[in-house]
Amino acid sequence: MEKIEIHEGEKGVSFFSLIVDGQEVGRMMTNITPGILKAGYTSVGLTQRGHGYGKKLIDSAVNYARKNNLKIIPECGFVGMMFNKYPEIYGDIRAAR
């Protein structure tokens, strides 16, 4: 079973974690400022790669941003690559620089 957990710190959401069968397999660090979600370092365990877990973390952050009227700055290379590869999915949520 897969689930995304949203972890909040003193300044809002600090990271998203992907749990599969009770084990964390991936995490995306975030920083939220007014109107912006910065999608930072995103990692998936070496033995867990190739299952689409990184995209699931991105999609969770994107859904959170859309629900909370935020734009995303992709600070992580993987997130930026996915935003560039799929502008039809992520173009509306990417913050202008």
Side-chain angles (χ1 to χ4, degrees), residues 6 13 16 28 30-39 57-74 79 83 89-90 92-95:
I6 300 172
V13 175
F16 292 81
M28 174 190 285
T30 61
N31 182 19
I32 296 177
T33 58
I36 297 292
L37 184 151
K38 293 180 181 177
L57 285 164
I58 291 171
D59 290 343
S60 294
V62 165
N63 290 336
Y64 179 90
R66 285 183 175 135
K67 287 179 186 173
N68 291 281
N69 199 30
L70 303 170
K71 294 289 187 179
I72 295 179
I73 296 174
V79 178
F83 273 37
I89 298 172
Y90 305 119
D92 68 309
I93 199 74
R94 186 176 200 158

Side-chain angles (χ1 to χ4, degrees), residues 6-44:
I6 300 172
H7 301 266
E8 295 190 28
E10 292 178 13
K11 297 182 180 179
V13 175
S14 56
F15 66 94
F16 292 81
S17 61
L18 175 61
I19 309 297
V20 177
D21 297 328
Q23 299 291 318
E24 183 181 65
V25 299
R27 180 179 285 198
M28 174 190 285
M29 305 305 292
T30 61
N31 182 19
I32 296 177
T33 58
I36 297 292
L37 184 151
K38 293 180 181 177
Y41 181 70
T42 303
S43 66
V44 173

